[in-house]
Amino acid sequence: MSISAWLIGDRYEDRKHFSGDNLLFKYYGLDAYKYAPKPHLKGVKKPTLSSWKSRHFNDLKYLLVKIREGISLEYDDIYDNPEIQRELLMEYRAKGDSHLICHPHFFGCYLPIDFKEINLASSYLLGLGSSFNLRDELQEIASKLDFELGKYVTYESILSDDEIDCLIVKMFDEDDLFGYEKMLVLQLYNLAIASISYDLVINFSG
């Protein structure tokens, strides 16, 4: 399955789509999502994400599990058994404390709202995550991979799709054990920073 993601919220139809979730946000003590148009967004090329497969997202989620479990990031015959991987991922989804791991990624959204310590295990939050929390988890992964995200993406320097593509061509090393994960982290991080900066929602489809 191929996964796509893009930013929404700057059209009336988009804002109306999220108005029904406001009671849900209120129940969890979260701010409602209300987009306030920003003049500086006119003409801005908003980043998107495409051409990634479900397995790439699963690999990235499992990498975060290994980091949090203190498991070696190198291949391990025991922990990298598909059954063990599935069990560990299910265990972390049941905890409901990771916006990357809990998000299905073939549908759903990341909102530019800080969910703080809200537990995501509730089915009411299935498919809803926070761009802020996603940003923090991607930084957590990058730091373990010695991958300096701030060197490439900042709130003042959000990359266009063309810039991301050029960067990936220059940076990608097929001999790097985590080459694909780094490139996916970079694209997701760029989307998360754009979501926060532009006050837009990351929308996923697969």
Side-chain angles (χ1 to χ4, degrees):
M1 179 186 292
S2 184
I3 307 296
S4 299
W6 60 97
L7 295 171
I8 64 172
D10 50 346
R11 301 182 307 162
Y12 173 75
E13 306 93 278
D14 298 334
R15 299 196 293 279
K16 188 177 179 182
H17 174 75
F18 293 101
S19 61
D21 291 324
N22 288 348
L23 286 176
L24 175 65
F25 299 147
K26 187 175 181 181
Y27 175 81
Y28 286 102
L30 299 171
D31 295 328
Y33 173 65
K34 294 179 180 176
Y35 173 71
K38 295 180 175 63
H40 74 275
L41 289 188
K42 290 182 179 178
V44 167
K45 289 185 178 179
K46 305 180 195 72
T48 61
L49 182 148
S50 61
S51 302
W52 289 97
K53 304 295 183 185
S54 291
R55 63 182 174 83
H56 293 126
F57 283 90
N58 289 333
D59 289 344
L60 187 60
K61 292 175 183 185
Y62 184 58
L63 181 59
L64 179 57
V65 168
K66 292 180 81 171
I67 288 169
R68 293 189 172 179
E69 286 291 306
I71 301 169
S72 170
L73 301 187
E74 300 294 326
Y75 182 82
D76 185 291
D77 288 335
I78 297 175
Y79 287 107
D80 291 328
N81 177 291
E83 289 299 319
I84 299 296
Q85 282 189 33
R86 196 174 298 111
E87 285 178 20
L88 282 169
L89 281 169
M90 292 301 292
E91 182 183 318
Y92 267 78
R93 287 185 182 120
K95 288 180 182 178
D97 60 0
S98 168
H99 289 247
L100 176 66
I101 296 169
C102 290
H103 200 284
H105 280 111
F106 47 86
F107 73 90
C109 302
Y110 282 101
L111 300 155
I113 299 169
D114 191 345
F115 278 38
K116 302 180 176 67
E117 301 302 318
I118 297 296
N119 190 284
L120 297 174
S122 167
S123 60
Y124 293 113
L125 292 173
L126 180 65
L128 280 180
S130 161
S131 303
F132 288 89
N133 298 71
L134 175 64
R135 172 202 63 189
D136 295 344
E137 291 182 27
L138 294 170
Q139 288 174 332
E140 182 181 351
I141 295 171
S143 67
K144 289 295 183 182
L145 299 179
D146 295 320
F147 185 39
E148 193 179 339
L149 289 170
K151 182 178 176 182
Y152 306 101
V153 180
T154 67
Y155 289 102
E156 294 74 36
S157 179
I158 294 166
L159 302 176
S160 67
D161 289 347
D162 288 342
E163 289 171 324
I164 281 276
D165 289 343
C166 289
L167 196 54
I168 284 176
V169 168
K170 286 195 293 186
M171 290 174 53
F172 184 72
D173 179 359
E174 61 182 16
D175 294 325
D176 186 344
L177 184 61
F178 303 106
Y180 285 104
E181 285 84 350
K182 286 178 180 176
M183 297 305 99
L184 181 52
V185 163
L186 179 63
Q187 282 199 276
L188 283 173
Y189 184 75
N190 190 51
L191 266 176
I193 294 300
S195 170
I196 295 166
S197 181
Y198 301 157
D199 195 27
L200 295 175
V201 174
I202 305 173
N203 188 53
F204 273 85
S205 177

